[in-house]
Amino acid sequence: MARILIVDDSPSQLMGIQRIVEKLGHDTLVAEDGAAGVEVARRELPDLVLMDVVMPNLNGFQATRSICRDATTRHIPVVLVTTKDQETDRVWGMRQGARAYITKPFNEAQLGEVLEQLLPA
């Protein structure tokens, strides 16, 4: 069982993702914007971060870059989970350090597969 940080500014998206992650057997932490997500990641050192992109304060690309370049948190895989479905967004997200990119809407099987690939056995 992993501890997964979910960062999303939409309460309904946050709850929906949280429900899927917990159904897959993992514990969750939540943050409602990118800046809070970076702070929680530094404080709690989760096993993985699911990061929305379009958020106030610090967007998901900026927050991902911050997590992936910080010595304390760079080992934590970040998965971008977003409605931004353009190839340029995907490329940019991966260049910021994301290990995977999932577009919304997604299903439980898609998320489960990514978690299985990125979490230690």
Side-chain angles (χ1 to χ4, degrees):
M1 177 184 327
R3 285 187 337 137
I4 297 177
L5 170 59
I6 304 164
V7 185
D8 200 310
D9 63 322
S10 162
S12 61
Q13 288 288 326
L14 197 60
M15 280 188 357
I17 297 169
Q18 188 173 16
R19 192 173 15 246
I20 291 171
V21 169
E22 289 174 354
K23 185 177 177 188
L24 291 169
H26 303 291
D27 289 332
T28 57
L29 302 162
V30 297
E32 295 178 359
D33 65 46
V38 170
E39 183 183 313
V40 173
R42 286 185 183 137
R43 185 179 66 239
E44 299 291 333
L45 299 175
D47 298 302
L48 185 134
V49 177
L50 297 173
M51 179 78 69
D52 186 24
V53 171
V54 181
M55 294 183 289
N57 300 329
L58 198 64
N59 72 40
F61 292 140
Q62 294 165 321
T64 296
R65 184 170 52 241
S66 181
I67 290 168
C68 293
R69 294 190 178 159
D70 185 306
T72 309
T73 54
R74 73 171 51 136
H75 67 283
I76 303 168
V78 177
V79 177
L80 291 169
V81 182
T82 180
T83 56
K84 296 178 76 60
D85 63 356
Q86 299 298 307
E87 185 61 24
T88 53
D89 296 319
R90 182 181 305 274
V91 169
W92 184 246
M94 300 306 270
R95 288 187 65 195
Q96 304 316 301
R99 300 275 293 282
Y101 195 101
I102 300 174
T103 53
K104 296 176 187 175
F106 59 89
N107 62 40
E108 183 180 324
Q110 290 170 301
L111 182 58
E113 187 177 306
V114 169
L115 296 182
E116 195 174 300
Q117 290 171 1
L118 295 176
L119 290 170

